[in-house]
Amino acid sequence: LDVQSGNQKEAVENLKRNVTVFTKAKDSTKLGTTYLLLGQSASFSGFYTIALKNYYKALDIHEKQGNNYRMAEDLQSIATIYQEQNEVDQAIETLERSHELFILEEKKQAQAQIQTILANLYTSKKDFDRAEKSINNAFILSKDIGYDNGTSRAHRAMGQLKIGQGQYEEAIVHYKESLDFQNERDIYDISSIKRKLGEAYVGNGQYKLGLRYLDESIALSDSMNYATVLENAYFQKFIALEKLNKHQAALEYYKMAKKISDSSFSIEKQNKIEELKTIYETEKKEAAITLKDEEIKTLSTQAENDKLTKTIYGIGMFSFLAIAGLTFFGFKQRLKKNKIERD
């Protein structure tokens, strides 16, 4: 709940306590889920290195359990991090592994989601054939289970593909279809679709219609503080106003887009510093625990050695006394014998 509500600091503290508890209890199921949640919390905060570390810990546990569904979820989360870091090939490879596992588990909704993500990644590489194939797969899967949001995402992915190919009229058709299938409660997705629809109209030379959808996207994004969507909408509005020769107004929107971009860069830079500090503190604690364990092992070894030394010493003393006793007994017997001979 803390992760979902955005209370990341408290979430991390609670989850770390859970790691200790579940490790001692040897409860691998709950431990795997805890590492997955730690990864999500780090990802929300922009700590991608820490997120990957925890996701891979979750994946390792679920692999040992042979839990295909959880492994698929872990891999999907890992791919999201690679996507955020623009490691497109790594993201594609990881998503394909996740998709194979979801097929084994017959999870069609998850398969549809992955197909649209793959389509967008292929489009970014200008691999339009594979992108279109993934989109068509998403359409089939979504239709098969009546998954409207999946159909909406597939139309959106097709719109992105058509923009990549410069086919703006076809992109507009798909973005409108995407809006029709989109759940009205998903404000982020709606604002994002309207921003893309505005971009398609601007690309098609229909600047006034483009501005209309961009303004609607800006209103939604601003009210919900969706910085990325807002930045892109401002930039598209700058382009539209420039085309309409409204240079002064265009400049204002360019400045607004740049301000968000600079702020995002500053936050990203600060997040990186915080992440490095967190990694340092974590590694320091882990090193201290390892050192403590080594000290305990050393002391245990010393104790065993001391015990062995005392045992050997005891055996040695017993042997010495026994031999000395026998020697003394023999010596006494010889004295006795000599005395008898003299008598």
Side-chain angles (χ1 to χ4, degrees):
L1 287 173
D2 287 325
V3 173
Q4 293 173 353
S5 66
N7 190 355
Q8 303 306 325
K9 189 174 182 180
E10 191 170 343
V12 169
E13 292 303 318
N14 289 331
L15 290 168
K16 283 182 177 178
R17 282 194 289 269
N18 288 344
V19 167
T20 303
V21 171
F22 298 144
T23 301
K24 286 181 180 178
K26 296 182 179 179
D27 190 336
S28 60
T29 300
K30 289 179 181 176
L31 188 60
T33 302
T34 303
Y35 278 127
L36 183 62
L37 289 170
L38 274 169
Q40 289 175 356
S41 180
S43 178
F44 290 152
S45 299
F47 297 167
Y48 297 129
T49 304
I50 294 172
L52 273 179
K53 185 178 179 181
N54 284 295
Y55 285 147
Y56 273 113
K57 283 182 179 180
L59 179 62
D60 182 57
I61 289 169
H62 294 140
E63 278 182 327
K64 288 174 182 175
Q65 291 177 336
N67 191 329
N68 287 337
Y69 180 73
R70 292 298 181 194
M71 285 166 61
E73 283 190 323
D74 298 336
L75 288 165
Q76 191 173 0
S77 297
I78 289 166
T80 302
I81 300 300
Y82 287 134
Q83 191 176 358
E84 288 287 345
Q85 296 179 319
N86 293 317
E87 296 182 31
V88 177
D89 291 333
Q90 192 75 34
I92 289 172
E93 182 184 334
T94 308
L95 278 172
E96 286 174 344
R97 285 180 60 198
S98 176
H99 187 256
E100 288 170 6
L101 292 169
F102 278 131
I103 289 173
L104 289 175
E105 294 297 303
E106 298 181 350
K107 301 295 183 183
K108 290 189 175 182
Q109 182 172 320
Q111 291 173 49
Q113 290 172 353
I114 288 178
Q115 287 292 341
T116 53
I117 299 169
L118 281 170
N120 289 327
L121 290 169
Y122 288 136
T123 296
S124 72
K125 288 168 63 72
K126 299 192 181 302
D127 189 346
F128 299 126
D129 289 339
R130 293 180 75 178
E132 191 162 356
K133 183 179 177 181
S134 290
I135 293 165
N136 289 331
N137 287 338
F139 274 128
I140 293 167
L141 288 162
S142 299
K143 185 178 179 181
D144 192 37
I145 58 174
Y147 180 36
D148 285 348
N149 269 9
T151 302
S152 174
R153 289 193 181 102
H155 276 297
R156 203 183 322 167
M158 188 64 85
Q160 186 65 29
L161 185 152
K162 294 303 178 183
I163 283 181
Q165 294 176 322
Q167 298 175 18
Y168 295 105
E169 285 188 10
E170 290 188 44
I172 289 165
V173 171
H174 284 290
Y175 283 129
K176 284 186 172 180
E177 288 285 340
S178 181
L179 272 179
D180 289 340
F181 280 98
Q182 184 61 51
N183 188 322
E184 62 183 13
R185 289 176 296 179
D186 295 334
I187 306 300
Y188 181 87
D189 285 341
I190 291 171
S191 65
S192 183
I193 295 167
K194 288 190 173 185
R195 197 273 299 173
K196 294 301 293 184
L197 194 49
E199 179 184 346
Y201 273 119
V202 170
N204 202 42
Q206 296 171 272
Y207 305 123
K208 289 184 179 179
L209 272 172
L211 287 169
R212 172 191 151 192
Y213 282 104
L214 288 170
D215 284 337
E216 289 178 11
S217 175
I218 288 167
L220 287 170
S221 302
D222 195 28
S223 67
M224 302 299 291
N225 197 27
Y226 298 145
T228 304
V229 180
L230 195 59
E231 178 192 346
N232 290 328
Y234 282 153
F235 188 75
Q236 286 300 320
K237 192 165 181 180
F238 152 70
I239 293 171
L241 290 169
E242 273 290 307
K243 294 291 185 181
L244 292 169
N245 295 317
K246 297 183 179 181
H247 305 298
Q248 190 58 42
L251 181 60
E252 291 303 314
Y253 281 99
Y254 175 80
K255 287 179 179 178
M256 291 163 77
K258 185 73 166 54
K259 184 178 179 181
I260 295 174
S261 177
D262 290 345
S263 176
S264 297
F265 177 76
S266 178
I267 290 168
E268 184 180 341
K269 193 173 180 181
Q270 185 60 39
N271 282 348
K272 191 63 185 174
I273 293 169
E274 290 298 323
E275 181 179 33
L276 290 171
K277 284 168 64 178
T278 303
I279 291 170
Y280 171 73
E281 292 297 330
T282 302
E283 288 180 349
K284 193 166 70 172
K285 286 178 183 177
E286 288 176 353
I289 291 168
T290 303
L291 183 62
K292 192 174 182 181
D293 287 343
E294 289 298 322
E295 287 176 354
I296 291 168
K297 285 180 184 177
T298 302
L299 289 171
S300 297
T301 303
Q302 286 178 350
E304 288 296 321
N305 289 340
D306 289 347
K307 186 178 179 181
L308 181 62
T309 301
K310 287 177 182 178
T311 302
I312 293 170
Y313 178 75
I315 292 170
M317 283 299 294
F318 176 78
S319 299
F320 172 75
L321 291 172
I323 292 168
L326 288 171
T327 303
F328 182 69
F329 178 76
F331 179 69
K332 282 185 67 178
Q333 288 296 105
R334 282 199 301 273
L335 286 175
K336 189 175 180 182
K337 183 180 178 182
N338 291 337
K339 186 179 178 183
I340 291 170
E341 287 177 351
R342 283 197 302 271
D343 291 342

